[in-house]
Amino acid sequence: MSVLETVPGPARRAWRSPAVRMSALVALAALVACADLFAGRGVTGEGVLAVLLGGDGDPLAEHIVLQLRLPRLLVALVAGASLGVAGLVLQSTLRNPLAGPEVTGVTPGAVLGAVAATGLGLAGWDSPTAVVVAACLGGFAGAGLLWLLAGREKGDPEQTAVYGVLVSAVLAGLTAVVLLVAPGELGSVVQWLIGSTEGRVWQHWHLLWPWAAVWGAAAWLLAAPLTLLRCGDEQASAAGLHPGRGRAAALVCAVALTAGAVSAVGALGFVGLLVPHLALAVFGADLRIALPGAALLGAVVVCGADAAAQLLSRLLVVALDADRLTLPVGALTTFVGAGLLLAVARRRTDER
């Protein structure tokens, strides 16, 4: 007997409502946002609360909370939402449950663009505008390469998955070559390779949220074509949709959302791959509801991981007696995501 079956009938029926589930998820997002805001070092919880309530005039506490922690929190929320939506769009478009941004050339291409621009001195971790442009160009290049290789297969999921892994491996190799050519940039580049919200300021937020809002809205407007593409090209054609055009429009949205997130926080592993599965499990196959749900779930996952990474960093500083030790949020999402993916794969194997 599942936990839900032990709940009284009226409460169980209410929980099945998408509005109730969405409201619960919004409350969870607010909870993890508060945890992320209070988790950092430098200011105690009482100090954070004092600043939020008007403050006691401590300029250092106000700077840390309002100029460092708050924009970091907002960037984590929007980047997570972008990756969640991008992953669901990719999986729906390519009809492949493993078609996350990480394994379709999109994230590796965006990382390569940011790394190459940094190595050439055209961009840097502290120049968000140039990084957004470079990451977008790289992300579209990676998606375009996958399109050229897999386009002849007419959207075949298995062939697309194989080509996606191949393209991602090639792009990762090119990134390694760039690091060998410009080793002096390794310190700033590692943050894109692993994924980090450290040092995010209001400039990153002002660039990220309009970009995410525009492309997120565009993805939601494509919910109906995406639903048809999930059913297959034949069904989509029978319903009057041109599969190639619909798939191209959806991929543009997915690449743009991924590139924006990568330019802000780097390559956060497994977020775009696993969040769509959670969204479909919670909200069902109706993408008009599942896409906003994926955005909220992505925001919760990344913000929660950021809060956990900051708390673990504080514990490691005490345990290892280190002055400056920061656990990147990307390392945590990759570790946890890999474990969850392994558990899902084993469960499916056992069911067979």
Side-chain angles (χ1 to χ4, degrees):
M1 180 179 293
S2 66
V3 176
L4 187 60
E5 291 175 350
T6 64
V7 179
R12 186 165 64 247
R13 287 192 295 272
W15 174 248
R16 288 173 180 169
S17 168
V20 173
R21 297 188 180 189
M22 199 72 72
S23 300
L25 197 54
V26 170
L28 180 59
L31 182 63
V32 297
C34 291
D36 195 26
L37 195 61
F38 282 80
R41 290 174 284 185
V43 181
T44 63
E46 293 79 4
V48 173
L49 191 59
V51 171
L52 295 178
L53 295 178
D56 54 1
D58 184 357
L60 178 59
E62 290 183 358
H63 177 77
I64 292 176
V65 174
L66 300 180
Q67 302 302 322
L68 296 178
R69 291 195 189 181
L70 189 55
R72 172 177 180 160
L73 160 67
L74 294 174
V75 168
L77 287 171
V78 176
S82 299
L83 291 173
V85 173
L88 183 54
V89 169
L90 281 173
Q91 292 180 10
S92 301
T93 303
L94 302 178
R95 291 185 293 121
N96 192 326
L98 298 180
E102 304 90 339
V103 292
T104 52
V106 179
T107 294
V111 170
L112 175 60
V115 170
T118 301
L120 294 173
L122 302 176
W125 191 250
D126 57 348
S127 54
T129 304
V131 173
V132 169
V133 174
C136 285
L137 291 176
F140 279 108
L145 182 57
L146 175 62
W147 185 269
L148 289 175
L149 291 175
R152 297 178 181 177
E153 303 300 331
K154 299 182 180 181
D156 182 77
E158 289 76 15
Q159 290 292 335
T160 302
V162 173
Y163 286 130
V165 173
L166 175 63
V167 169
S168 298
V170 170
L171 295 174
L174 291 175
T175 302
V177 172
V178 173
L179 293 179
L180 291 176
V181 174
E185 302 294 337
L186 180 60
S188 60
V189 164
V190 164
Q191 298 180 79
W192 279 302
L193 297 177
I194 300 176
S196 175
T197 55
E198 191 78 16
R200 302 303 85 201
V201 294
W202 287 113
Q203 186 182 3
H204 299 89
W205 162 251
H206 293 319
L207 285 169
L208 179 60
W209 80 261
W211 180 271
V214 169
W215 290 107
W220 186 79
L221 292 175
L222 290 172
L226 283 172
T227 302
L228 292 175
L229 288 174
R230 284 176 61 87
C231 299
D233 288 2
E234 294 79 6
Q235 291 82 351
S237 299
L241 174 69
H242 190 288
R245 295 174 185 173
R247 185 172 290 112
L251 287 176
V252 167
C253 291
V255 172
L257 286 168
T258 302
V262 169
S263 67
V265 297
L268 297 180
F270 291 97
V271 176
L273 183 62
L274 292 178
V275 164
H277 294 274
L278 295 175
L280 293 174
V282 173
F283 296 102
D286 187 350
L287 295 183
R288 294 172 299 177
I289 301 173
L291 282 169
L296 278 172
L297 282 167
V300 167
V301 168
V302 173
C303 190
D306 189 40
Q310 292 189 72
L311 290 173
L312 286 174
S313 297
R314 294 173 64 176
L315 294 176
L316 290 173
V317 166
V318 175
L320 302 178
D321 193 21
D323 293 333
R324 293 182 58 85
L325 180 61
T326 301
L327 179 66
V329 62
L332 190 61
T333 60
T334 300
F335 179 79
V336 176
L340 290 175
L341 185 62
L342 180 61
V344 170
R346 286 196 170 189
R347 182 179 179 181
R348 290 190 175 184
T349 302
D350 293 340
E351 289 176 354
R352 292 177 182 177

